Amino acid sequence: MSDLRPLFAPRGIAVVGASRDPAKLGAVMARSLARFPGTVVGVNARDADPAAGRFATVAAAAAASPDPVDLAVLCVPAAASARALADAAAAGVRAALVCSGGYAEAGVAGAAQQAALVSAARDAGVALLGPNTSGFLVPARGLTASFVPGVATVPAGPVAVVAASGGVNHALAFLLASAGVGISLAVGLGNAAGVTAADVLAHLAADDGTRAVALHVESVPDGPALVAAVRAATARVPVVAWVVGRSDVAEFARSHTGALATSWRTTRAALRAAGAVLVDDERQLVDAVTALSALRLPASADPGVGVVTAQAGPGLVHVDGLRGAGVAVPPLGGGTRDALSGLLPPLTFQANPVDTGRPDPAFGRVLATVAADPAVDLLSVYALTEPDVLDLPAAVAQLAGTPAVVGLGGPAGQVGPQRQALRALGVPALDGPTALTAAVTALVDDARARASRRDPSPRRPVPVAAPQRDLDEDEAKTLLGRLGIATPPRRACAGRAEAHRALAELPGPLAVKLLDAAVTHKSDVGGVHLGVRDAAGLDAALDALTAAGATRFLVESMAPPGVDLVVGASRDPVFGPVVLVGLGGVVAEALADVAVRTAPVDAGEAGALADELAGRALLDGARGGPVADRAALGAVLAALGDLLLAHPAIAEVEVNPLRVTAGGLLALDAVLTLGKEPSP
Amino acid sequence: MSDLRPLFAPRGIAVVGASRDPAKLGAVMARSLARFPGTVVGVNARDADPAAGRFATVAAAAAASPDPVDLAVLCVPAAASARALADAAAAGVRAALVCSGGYAEAGVAGAAQQAALVSAARDAGVALLGPNTSGFLVPARGLTASFVPGVATVPAGPVAVVAASGGVNHALAFLLASAGVGISLAVGLGNAAGVTAADVLAHLAADDGTRAVALHVESVPDGPALVAAVRAATARVPVVAWVVGRSDVAEFARSHTGALATSWRTTRAALRAAGAVLVDDERQLVDAVTALSALRLPASADPGVGVVTAQAGPGLVHVDGLRGAGVAVPPLGGGTRDALSGLLPPLTFQANPVDTGRPDPAFGRVLATVAADPAVDLLSVYALTEPDVLDLPAAVAQLAGTPAVVGLGGPAGQVGPQRQALRALGVPALDGPTALTAAVTALVDDARARASRRDPSPRRPVPVAAPQRDLDEDEAKTLLGRLGIATPPRRACAGRAEAHRALAELPGPLAVKLLDAAVTHKSDVGGVHLGVRDAAGLDAALDALTAAGATRFLVESMAPPGVDLVVGASRDPVFGPVVLVGLGGVVAEALADVAVRTAPVDAGEAGALADELAGRALLDGARGGPVADRAALGAVLAALGDLLLAHPAIAEVEVNPLRVTAGGLLALDAVLTLGKEPSP
């Protein structure tokens, strides 16, 4: 990727298309940049005025500038932008920001303008941000390259915002400022024709001033690049990802950035696998980076949270939220409880959560006592500000080492100073119990992501050759068998005689099916007969199948009862091979209760996917059923993912159902299809 | 219920247990009340000082007060509170606030203290708030009866907070103040031993100063009273209900208020049926009452929302959220689109949502054009503040009549004044796209609730007598038949001969089942044989059933295929009879995908319950299946609810499955059980 320092840390800036009309983009940009301590020069061929810092060409402007002009802000029509960029590059400019629209989001003509602009940038080695974005800001450098000048009020701080949309970038910067958290860099990518989210993440991974990244995602042009960038960044700095587009807003989204809308679910799964913390909306995003920019827990598969609340009601809301989010609020040890009983009135709740009743001078010792419990990795505290009776920053200062996060309620005049005092102690403060829950959940999710972090798996060898055509059920099951996936005993039969031989050889009762790679939904065409036990039954089944057009048959022992899953691997257009697991049957299908993960995935990670299913209780022996062996399930999923990675010609493999039986997993049906045009 | 004006609009107040020690509750309360413009007197038998406004008895204090002392704030130990209340009542006090704990939440001894306190209040006709609460505030009266003195900074305004918890009451008051919304009354109920949420709602229904109610619910002591109060209140003022306790936090909740934790799902269903708008957390609660205290849409089954956004990215987030919440964002009419094309640059998205690109002076006309579209009942606008190019309040002022709500991003110094200016126009302003979504959803939900509002159904006659014992399947189906619920043809058979006669008479194939009211899960004991077509098959089934202990048999025609539902009615300990519908089968059961409604319910409302199911696609002909007749399903649910209302002895009736077939609904199995001890 290109060096983004000329873009985000320029020495001098040229505004190309500077204007005297205060409503024009060039004038707004010049106003926004007024606070920049380096040189800002204007360029306007028709209205040059060197005395006013406005030159006819970038070259003239650069010649007059005391600082090298690294960045050009191009405020010119789309049709003129490629040429303007080339001119700027010729004058030594190494980065360009293009805010205006009229490019790929605007149809065929716009796409051509964008292509010309990108080509000019590539030829000249210029880092291009945009087009179609409201810009970026770097408060610590006094750099506001935005057509929303008010964003210059946003303070410097530890959070970087990387937003698909310029508007969202600004909205997030303002929300973070309201939450008392400053910005290291906030950038809206717009059409992302040049600089992508992956590029900015790579830049931030080396930026010591950034302690958390807020990543807003609408669509992903290059899935593997984004995944690699998130994986690399999260090794040093937490990345919190907010993927929009859960509901169907694809048409508007395309008009907005001209980009391919990808699958919301797959994008989330890919980012999570890469180590990002996921959130559902901008409020959770602000809460998460507020917390993660102040502290990061050690990697841990299941950190324990100790909750202390000065008011029972908000504490109840917080603990209810944590349990709903699957965060562990473990029982406190006996020693901790003994110590608490000496500190608290007898009527308070002293399990976890610990309700102190009205705070008193012992509050700090209560915090320290809970923090010292071996089961507690993070202390979460809620309190209303009561300066008369509780100096919360002083109480928190006694913790000596245990990470803590605080929820504060109170008048703005009290909350603001306490929040800053806590932040100075490395303790993030949130504004309510739900915000506190989002913050704690993010800290825990980040710790879990790091505990499950593995180096990208080396390509594992796949013990099957690439199929040359779609496989029928028998061939697909043979392939599954080579991958170590069990199937019931079966015979592929070319005629009645073979079928009757199979009846004699296989344990019954039998399933008798139409065998044809071209028929993927056999049941829908009467292609499956179950419970065949004798020659008469077999003949009846063969008669019916023959009538339905079958010339070959699969005769197979029926599987014992169990819980049916659907597992598979397919090729996502953005992220490449993904594996999937869901519960079988029409109800599960209607509920879309599936879990997805990008391949390659190792068996341990893949087995844990089952626990993301809403109906996971069914895999744990509900109603006396079998318990699904997570390791075996993970091995199946890992093998299917590896298969697609090894053989680009395979579009999809689906095992439906994969039955969980008392004796283990059994693939009862399988479909393998090749891509319409085999991938290179 | 008692008159709450002496509590919330007292002329004079006595603080009983006033103290010179500034940390004592009595001293904190006196400080909180210092701004009250009426008389506040202290009472302390051991430390009377009439010159300092502190008297030995309430009677002495009342005699010295220029205003009648209506309210006593009791800051005395639990053991002394009943006596203190009686003394105050004797001196003319008509309301009492008890903040301290040590009552029902604190075990058996505390429960006795609470009973004594309640008894004293009842005997004296005193409205008792508490115990175990942090109090209340009425900013417009300068009345802060709270042990969190900082809450005196909360401004007066149109929102009433009715919180189960004193801490949550304060937290909400502070969050509303931060959102720029003031308070008419904010009360924490604590143990709610005297004044309940229902009582406060009745008070607020007659309070012209309250334009929206924020209701926080932990547990419900009297379901029907709360439902009646919400129903009465929502006729005049919207009620937004936040029910906590989704996850299992029952133990802590009990310790908190000493109350029975009720079902989260049933409480939500009951409040919704009563006309409340439901929210999931305190942020949505603040958003909802911010909007509903400024405007209320006309009653409408499906109001259309027109979305105009000055920035595409936040608009996309907002529309994504609205679609996820099931809010209609209808296409705009051709005339509207023509008018917009004359106002907007050609490259912007002009469907619904309407993306204006950078705002210009035409923004107000864009708003008015969208607002005038016949499909638009509410206009929702998002914009970053850009005072140089957009005067948003002036643009909104052009709307003339169409309700509008605005999301604003920007620096606090710009957002605050714009928010107040918009509010003065009757337009609520929220701080981001997700908050805007919550606000719009609340406005729409309230309009829908009013559209579906019906007078409580008169008790409908139920054409069956009260059963005297648990019914077997045949009896239960006979009862269903009388209720108009279809069942397959069947015969109850006392022996083999009758069973063989049934085989001859009934259309096959047949189901043959064990018939015994004591066996509710027949399948689990091998009590069901399906697909019986002939005498040999029937004998085999009868042999097996007899071996399993059956002496009576149900022989029944098998139903055609279809989608299975579970429907039923049961008796909730708090809310009384409720009806339930869910998808059948183990997957749906594991996912707990059910919808609940309190009885009585009419058929129209009950039929709509099916559309609350996550798996509702299965009821609409997914995969070529039948479409469930909502009216018929509603009639089944209404009848089951009526049955439980008419016959208190019935504990539960469950139809599992109720099959949706191409020919209509069919009850395939049914269980009716009586309560262990029949209700009176």
Side-chain angles (χ1 to χ4, degrees):
Chain A
M1 61 146 246
S2 54
D3 178 7
L4 299 188
R5 283 171 300 179
L7 179 63
F8 296 135
R11 292 165 293 182
I13 303 172
V15 179
V16 181
S19 169
R20 290 184 203 259
D21 178 348
K24 293 260 187 188
L25 184 59
V28 176
M29 274 293 174
R31 279 205 299 286
S32 281
L33 290 165
R35 288 194 319 135
F36 183 62
T39 302
V40 179
V41 291
V43 176
N44 190 323
R46 285 177 301 181
D47 185 26
D49 180 358
R54 207 155 54 241
F55 302 86
T57 64
V58 179
S65 169
D67 298 311
V69 175
D70 293 323
L71 169 63
V73 179
L74 302 181
C75 305
V76 298
S81 62
R83 174 67 183 273
L85 187 141
D87 287 350
V93 160
R94 293 148 66 207
L97 165 63
V98 181
C99 289
S100 52
Y103 295 89
E105 83 286 1
V108 174
Q113 309 285 15
Q114 183 163 315
L117 180 67
V118 168
S119 170
R122 192 183 301 117
D123 292 349
V126 165
L128 168 67
L129 178 61
N132 191 23
T133 173
S134 51
F136 69 93
L137 57 149
V138 188
R141 297 184 183 274
L143 174 52
T144 311
S146 157
F147 59 59
V148 184
V151 81
T153 59
V154 170
V159 171
V161 176
V162 184
S165 142
V168 168
N169 179 48
H170 283 71
L172 288 173
F174 288 125
L175 288 171
L176 284 161
S178 291
V181 178
I183 294 291
S184 60
L185 166 69
V187 56
L189 299 167
N191 288 6
V195 173
T196 64
D199 297 332
V200 180
L201 286 167
H203 172 80
L204 292 170
D207 173 30
D208 290 338
T210 297
R211 297 193 54 198
V213 179
L215 178 67
H216 163 255
V217 178
E218 284 180 357
S219 57
V220 178
D222 183 342
L226 181 63
V227 163
V230 169
R231 178 177 283 277
T234 51
R236 193 194 69 78
V237 63
V239 174
V240 182
W242 173 32
V243 182
V244 302
R246 179 173 201 153
S247 305
D248 181 15
V249 286
E251 187 192 0
F252 179 40
R254 268 194 305 277
S255 83
H256 173 200
T257 59
L260 175 77
T262 179
S263 146
W264 177 83
R265 192 193 294 266
T266 301
T267 304
R268 297 208 354 147
L271 293 174
R272 173 143 72 177
V277 170
L278 301 180
V279 292
D280 294 330
D281 61 40
E282 77 273 18
R283 299 202 269 216
Q284 290 184 359
L285 182 62
V286 168
D287 301 331
V289 294
T290 296
L292 283 163
S293 65
L295 68 97
R296 221 177 168 186
L297 298 181
S300 167
D302 200 20
V305 178
V307 175
V308 178
T309 185
Q311 285 82 25
L316 186 64
V317 171
H318 180 44
V319 174
D320 192 24
L322 291 177
R323 291 212 201 287
V327 171
V329 183
L332 300 175
T336 306
R337 290 203 305 274
D338 289 348
L340 289 174
S341 68
L343 293 169
L344 289 171
L347 303 176
T348 53
F349 194 79
Q350 297 172 16
N352 196 2
V354 177
D355 171 21
T356 66
R358 290 201 65 220
D360 70 8
F363 196 81
R365 277 178 288 150
V366 172
L367 297 186
T369 302
V370 175
D373 189 284
V376 170
D377 300 299
L378 172 68
L379 188 66
S380 182
V381 182
Y382 184 85
L384 296 172
T385 58
E386 296 190 66
D388 292 350
V389 292
L390 176 61
D391 182 344
L392 194 58
V396 166
Q398 300 177 31
L399 287 178
T402 301
V405 55
V406 169
L408 274 181
Q414 292 177 4
V415 166
Q418 292 212 8
R419 187 167 68 185
Q420 293 308 322
L422 288 163
R423 186 98 193 171
L425 297 167
V427 175
L430 290 301
D431 75 353
T434 294
L436 184 62
T437 300
V440 168
T441 302
L443 292 168
V444 167
D445 283 352
D446 176 65
R448 287 176 172 162
R450 281 164 33 251
S452 68
R453 189 180 181 90
R454 289 168 184 82
D455 288 330
S457 322
R459 284 291 173 87
R460 288 170 289 239
V462 170
V464 296
Q468 299 305 307
R469 49 177 173 74
D470 295 348
L471 301 186
D472 68 29
E473 181 179 341
D474 179 56
E475 294 163 336
K477 283 180 167 171
T478 299
L479 183 148
L480 293 182
R482 295 210 187 101
L483 297 176
I485 302 169
T487 53
R490 70 181 177 282
R491 300 283 184 276
C493 306
R496 285 175 176 260
E498 285 186 47
H500 279 275
R501 207 147 52 231
L503 172 68
E505 292 169 3
L506 295 172
L510 300 178
V512 184
K513 314 186 207 178
L514 177 157
L515 188 58
D516 184 341
V519 179
T520 50
H521 291 96
K522 289 182 284 285
S523 306
D524 295 353
V525 298
V528 179
H529 292 257
L530 301 177
V532 171
R533 295 166 187 276
D534 52 28
L538 178 59
D539 279 325
L542 296 172
D543 288 349
L545 290 172
T546 303
T551 56
R552 298 175 64 242
F553 313 101
L554 188 69
V555 179
E556 185 173 67
S557 293
M558 284 180 68
V563 175
D564 285 347
L565 296 172
V566 178
V567 302
S570 63
R571 209 168 285 281
D572 184 84
V574 172
F575 291 100
V578 298
V579 299
L580 171 150
V581 60
L583 290 170
V586 290
V587 171
E589 187 182 320
L591 295 173
D593 183 24
V594 298
V596 175
R597 182 98 185 198
T598 43
V601 58
D602 72 32
E605 282 174 280
L609 269 188
D611 295 304
E612 295 179 14
L613 297 177
R616 61 188 167 276
L618 278 183
L619 304 179
D620 290 320
R623 296 176 65 102
V627 175
D629 177 341
R630 300 295 198 275
L633 175 61
V636 170
L637 289 165
L640 297 180
D642 289 347
L643 178 69
L644 261 68
L645 283 167
H647 298 312
I650 303 177
E652 184 174 14
V653 55
E654 181 179 282
V655 181
N656 182 8
L658 178 72
R659 180 164 293 177
V660 181
T661 75
L665 299 172
L666 269 182
L668 303 196
D669 197 357
V671 172
L672 184 146
T673 48
L674 303 187
K676 295 265 186 301
E677 300 167 20
S679 308
Chain B
M1 62 146 251
S2 54
D3 178 7
L4 299 188
R5 282 170 301 179
L7 178 64
F8 296 134
R11 291 163 295 181
I13 304 172
V15 178
V16 181
S19 169
R20 290 182 201 261
D21 178 346
K24 292 264 187 186
L25 183 59
V28 176
M29 275 291 173
R31 279 206 298 287
S32 281
L33 289 165
R35 289 195 318 137
F36 183 62
T39 303
V40 179
V41 292
V43 175
N44 191 322
R46 285 177 301 180
D47 185 25
D49 180 356
R54 207 155 54 243
F55 301 86
T57 64
V58 180
S65 168
D67 297 312
V69 175
D70 293 323
L71 169 63
V73 179
L74 302 181
C75 304
V76 298
S81 63
R83 175 64 182 273
L85 187 143
D87 287 350
V93 160
R94 293 147 67 206
L97 165 63
V98 182
C99 290
S100 52
Y103 294 89
E105 83 286 0
V108 174
Q113 309 284 16
Q114 182 163 318
L117 181 65
V118 169
S119 171
R122 193 183 300 118
D123 292 349
V126 165
L128 168 67
L129 178 61
N132 191 26
T133 174
S134 49
F136 69 94
L137 57 149
V138 187
R141 296 184 183 277
L143 173 53
T144 311
S146 158
F147 60 58
V148 184
V151 82
T153 60
V154 170
V159 171
V161 176
V162 184
S165 141
V168 168
N169 179 48
H170 283 72
L172 288 174
F174 288 124
L175 288 171
L176 283 162
S178 292
V181 178
I183 293 292
S184 59
L185 166 70
V187 55
L189 298 167
N191 288 6
V195 173
T196 64
D199 297 332
V200 180
L201 286 167
H203 172 81
L204 292 169
D207 174 31
D208 290 338
T210 297
R211 295 192 54 197
V213 179
L215 178 65
H216 162 256
V217 177
E218 285 181 355
S219 58
V220 178
D222 183 343
L226 181 62
V227 163
V230 168
R231 178 177 283 276
T234 51
R236 192 192 72 75
V237 63
V239 174
V240 182
W242 172 31
V243 181
V244 303
R246 179 173 202 151
S247 304
D248 182 16
V249 287
E251 188 192 0
F252 179 40
R254 268 196 303 278
S255 83
H256 173 200
T257 59
L260 175 77
T262 179
S263 148
W264 178 83
R265 191 194 293 266
T266 301
T267 302
R268 299 213 346 150
L271 293 175
R272 172 142 73 175
V277 169
L278 301 180
V279 293
D280 292 331
D281 60 40
E282 77 274 17
R283 300 202 269 215
Q284 290 184 359
L285 183 62
V286 167
D287 301 332
V289 294
T290 295
L292 283 163
S293 64
L295 68 95
R296 218 176 171 189
L297 298 181
S300 167
D302 200 20
V305 179
V307 176
V308 178
T309 184
Q311 284 82 27
L316 187 64
V317 171
H318 179 45
V319 175
D320 192 23
L322 291 178
R323 291 211 202 287
V327 171
V329 184
L332 300 176
T336 306
R337 291 203 303 274
D338 289 348
L340 288 173
S341 69
L343 293 169
L344 290 171
L347 303 175
T348 53
F349 193 78
Q350 297 171 18
N352 195 3
V354 176
D355 171 21
T356 65
R358 289 201 67 220
D360 69 9
F363 196 79
R365 276 176 290 150
V366 172
L367 296 188
T369 302
V370 176
D373 190 283
V376 171
D377 299 300
L378 171 69
L379 189 67
S380 182
V381 182
Y382 183 86
L384 296 171
T385 58
E386 295 190 68
D388 294 350
V389 291
L390 174 62
D391 181 346
L392 194 58
V396 167
Q398 299 176 33
L399 288 177
T402 301
V405 54
V406 169
L408 274 181
Q414 291 176 4
V415 166
Q418 291 212 6
R419 187 167 67 185
Q420 293 308 320
L422 288 164
R423 185 98 194 170
L425 298 167
V427 174
L430 290 301
D431 75 354
T434 295
L436 184 61
T437 301
V440 169
T441 303
L443 291 168
V444 167
D445 282 352
D446 175 64
R448 287 177 171 162
R450 275 155 45 246
S452 69
R453 189 182 183 88
R454 288 168 185 82
D455 289 328
S457 322
R459 284 293 174 86
R460 289 171 288 239
V462 170
V464 296
Q468 298 305 308
R469 50 178 172 72
D470 294 350
L471 302 185
D472 67 31
E473 181 179 343
D474 178 56
E475 294 161 335
K477 284 181 165 170
T478 299
L479 183 147
L480 294 182
R482 295 211 184 103
L483 296 177
I485 302 169
T487 53
R490 70 182 176 282
R491 300 282 185 278
C493 306
R496 285 175 175 262
E498 287 186 46
H500 279 274
R501 208 148 51 227
L503 172 66
E505 292 169 1
L506 294 172
L510 300 176
V512 183
K513 313 186 206 177
L514 177 155
L515 186 58
D516 184 340
V519 180
T520 51
H521 291 96
K522 289 182 285 284
S523 306
D524 295 354
V525 297
V528 179
H529 291 258
L530 301 176
V532 172
R533 295 166 188 275
D534 52 27
L538 178 59
D539 279 327
L542 296 173
D543 289 348
L545 291 172
T546 303
T551 57
R552 299 174 66 240
F553 314 102
L554 187 70
V555 179
E556 186 173 63
S557 293
M558 283 179 69
V563 175
D564 285 345
L565 296 172
V566 178
V567 301
S570 63
R571 210 169 282 284
D572 184 83
V574 172
F575 290 100
V578 297
V579 300
L580 171 150
V581 60
L583 290 170
V586 293
V587 171
E589 187 182 321
L591 295 172
D593 183 23
V594 297
V596 176
R597 182 98 183 198
T598 44
V601 59
D602 70 34
E605 283 173 278
L609 270 188
D611 295 304
E612 294 178 15
L613 296 177
R616 60 187 168 276
L618 278 183
L619 305 179
D620 290 319
R623 298 175 65 100
V627 176
D629 176 340
R630 301 296 198 274
L633 175 61
V636 169
L637 290 165
L640 296 180
D642 288 347
L643 178 69
L644 261 68
L645 283 167
H647 298 313
I650 302 176
E652 186 175 13
V653 55
E654 182 179 281
V655 180
N656 182 7
L658 177 73
R659 182 165 290 176
V660 181
T661 75
L665 300 172
L666 269 182
L668 302 195
D669 198 357
V671 173
L672 184 147
T673 49
L674 303 187
K676 295 267 189 300
E677 300 167 21
S679 310

